[in-house]
Each structure stands twice: as C-alpha cells, then as structure tokens.
Amino acid sequence: YGQAFTLFDNLKQAIHSEKGVVAGGGASAMSTEAVDQKKKIEHFERAVEGLLLESKMQRNLALIRSRWAAYVPSNKAGRKAVNTSPEEMYRLYEHLKLDVFDLSELASNPNDEDEALYEECSTAMQGIKTILCFFLGERYNSMLKDREAYLLYNRAVEYCDALEEESGGKSASALFAPVLETARNVAGMARIGRCVTHARAIEASKGESDLKGEASASASASADEAAKRLLDHLEDSQSFVGAAGRQVYSLPPAPKSLPCHPFLLDTAIDHIVYPSIPAELTSNSEGKKEEVRTIRGSIS
C-alpha cells in the first residue's frame, strides 16, 4: 500500500500542475478546448481520489481483519492482555468511517454524481455505526457498567435491524461486503451482551434497593431508640426539659395494631334471616312486664 499511496500522491501533484497551466492560459483559458480539457482533468482527479480512498479502505480493512482475529468478547472467559481491546477496534473503525464519508462526498459531487456508490456508502455507514456501538458497549461491559453497556448493545441491534430493512437482502460490493458481514456478526453478539448486562443491572438494582431499605429501617429504629417521650415515661422521676433526644410525644403517632374482626361475619350479617316470634310469646312477655310493674308499685 505504501507504493500505491506514493504513486497517487505523484498523480495528484501532476494534476494540480496541469490545472494551473490550463487556468493560467489567459484568454485561451476561456476557449472551448480549454474548458473541455479542464473538465477532463477534473474527472481524472476525482477518479484518482476515488482510487486513493479505495486503497485506504482496503488497507484499513486488512488491519481490522488482523486485529479482529485476536479479539475476544468481554462476556467470555479467558480474555488476556494480548487480545485486541475494544478501544483499538473502535479506533480502527473510526478511521474506516472517515474514509467512507470522504468517498460518499466524492460520489455526491453535483458535476459527476454516482447514486449507486452513494447508496452503498450510506449502507456501509449504517453498518459501521452498528460496529462502533457494539465496541463501545464492550468497553462499558468490561468496566462492569451494565446500564450503559445495555443501552449501547441495544442501539447496535437497532442499527443492524434498520440496515437489514434498507439493504433488503441485496448483495453489497466487494469493498463493502466485509463491513456488512461484520455488522451482522457483532449484532448477534450484541444481543447476547444485551441479555447479560440487563440481567446484571436488574440484580444490582435489587441489591441496591434492599440495602437502602435496610439502611432506612435501621436508621429509623436507632432514632426511635434514641428518642425518649414524656408520655411513655410518666412514672419516671427524671427531668425531660432540655435533654437531647427527648420529646413530649411523637408526631405522627406510632402506628398500633388494632384487632381485626372476622370479615366473613360482617359480610354475612346483612343476609341473616331472623325467625318469626309467635304472638303467644309476645303476649306472655307483656304480662310478665305488667306484673313486675305492679310488684314494684306495691313495694314503693
């Protein structure tokens, strides 16, 4: 790649020199022949720039393949210091992203627009976004920051799903095919990492809530033990005036348990049918009441 880059640099210098010669022709620079020559030079310059960007992308892809072979996902055991780090993979794909962006700018030139190449660059950019989110999630996963890692893994999966919808199963060119294949592979690993980090984050949140509950309960219990109230110590002869941690009574009052009546009886009381009392019993009870009143009157 070094010799190719040197050749491209020499070509670009020759193109700039030729453009200067054509532009410095004075009145002859405005002729039809000079204008056609200028267009040909510009077209040749864009072709050289495209070949230069393609060579840079191939070089970056070769570096990515060599480093990806030594990469071990963060959720697998056996990871060593010699393995490729997520930061290194992220940096390599950032360089590739810049090359794809420059190529898309070249394809969207209004004088010589290439719609097919521009669409391929847009698809490749979507795949690179998927890969970048995955490696950022790997970095946070290695740091045990589960919430951030879950969000990044989820975003990588969303980018890959959008990529599948945009591509529609179409085959990419030989230049961008490795990028799209890697994006699909890392999306599968992102789904696994998303499940793992989600489970760990839920477990950590449960532990934090339990610790907070225990801490608040112990704090309230210690506060209740430290506070002494006058109404609870009326039989004591000690003074409660001005002493620390002493109160007249608690506000709000401490809750007390109340006896609970059987709710079945309360519910059934409205459905009880009482028996009818015979008239004879009613008359006998009224006669007895009259006798009692007579006796009381005679005594008084």
Side-chain angles (χ1 to χ4, degrees):
Y1 291 104
Q3 295 179 356
F5 292 153
T6 304
L7 177 61
F8 286 133
D9 290 336
N10 295 332
L11 283 174
K12 289 176 68 176
Q13 291 177 5
I15 290 170
H16 285 302
S17 300
E18 188 65 24
K19 287 173 68 176
V21 171
V22 173
S28 62
M30 302 302 295
S31 63
T32 305
E33 183 179 358
V35 172
D36 293 339
Q37 187 178 5
K38 183 178 180 182
K39 288 182 179 179
K40 290 180 181 179
I41 292 174
E42 290 177 352
H43 184 72
F44 182 67
E45 183 181 13
R46 285 194 294 271
V48 171
E49 288 180 357
L51 291 173
L52 177 61
L53 289 172
E54 184 177 353
S55 300
K56 286 183 178 180
M57 291 177 61
Q58 290 176 354
R59 181 194 61 180
N60 289 332
L61 287 172
L63 290 173
I64 287 171
R65 283 193 295 268
S66 63
R67 299 309 299 163
W68 174 253
Y71 184 78
V72 177
S74 58
N75 55 1
K76 287 187 177 181
R79 184 177 178 83
K80 300 178 182 179
V82 295
N83 295 124
T84 307
S85 63
E87 294 84 357
E88 184 178 357
M89 296 300 299
Y90 184 88
R91 188 184 69 254
L92 291 175
Y93 275 101
E94 271 290 340
H95 293 315
L96 183 63
K97 178 183 176 183
L98 295 176
D99 294 337
V100 174
F101 179 77
D102 293 338
L103 189 59
S104 65
E105 288 289 322
L106 187 64
S108 62
N109 193 316
N111 297 327
D112 189 12
E113 187 175 2
D114 191 347
E115 294 183 359
L117 180 59
Y118 183 78
E119 291 178 359
E120 287 187 354
C121 290
S122 300
T123 305
M125 191 68 72
Q126 191 77 5
I128 292 174
K129 287 180 181 179
T130 302
I131 299 169
L132 291 177
C133 287
F134 169 74
F135 285 117
L136 275 179
E138 288 283 284
R139 180 175 180 273
Y140 280 104
N141 190 10
S142 61
M143 297 168 61
L144 297 179
K145 295 184 177 181
D146 298 319
R147 298 175 182 177
E148 294 83 355
Y150 171 79
L151 293 175
L152 289 165
Y153 285 142
N154 190 54
R155 183 57 61 86
V157 173
E158 290 177 355
Y159 279 140
C160 186
D161 294 340
L163 175 63
E164 294 295 335
E165 293 179 1
E166 290 180 4
S167 61
K170 297 179 181 178
S171 59
S173 61
L175 182 62
F176 297 115
V179 178
L180 301 183
E181 183 181 359
T182 305
R184 295 185 181 96
N185 293 335
V186 300
M189 291 187 285
R191 289 183 173 90
I192 298 173
R194 180 176 62 177
C195 296
V196 173
T197 53
H198 190 204
R200 282 207 310 247
I202 292 175
E203 189 66 24
S205 63
K206 286 183 179 180
E208 290 176 1
S209 61
D210 293 341
L211 289 176
K212 289 180 180 178
E214 293 177 359
S216 60
S218 61
S220 60
S222 60
D224 291 338
E225 292 176 358
K228 292 185 178 181
R229 299 173 180 85
L230 177 61
L231 295 181
D232 298 334
H233 298 80
L234 294 176
E235 69 278 1
D236 298 338
S237 58
Q238 59 182 339
S239 175
F240 272 71
V241 178
R246 297 182 181 182
Q247 305 171 0
V248 177
Y249 58 92
S250 62
L251 277 177
K256 295 181 180 180
S257 60
L258 298 176
C260 181
H261 299 287
F263 69 95
L264 293 176
L265 296 180
D266 296 338
T267 305
I269 195 68
D270 297 331
H271 301 279
I272 295 177
V273 179
Y274 294 97
S276 59
I277 301 176
E280 293 82 6
L281 295 178
T282 306
S283 61
N284 291 337
S285 62
E286 291 178 354
K288 290 181 180 179
K289 291 179 181 179
E290 185 65 27
E291 291 178 359
V292 170
R293 285 197 291 271
T294 306
I295 293 172
R296 288 179 178 176
S298 61
I299 293 173
S300 57

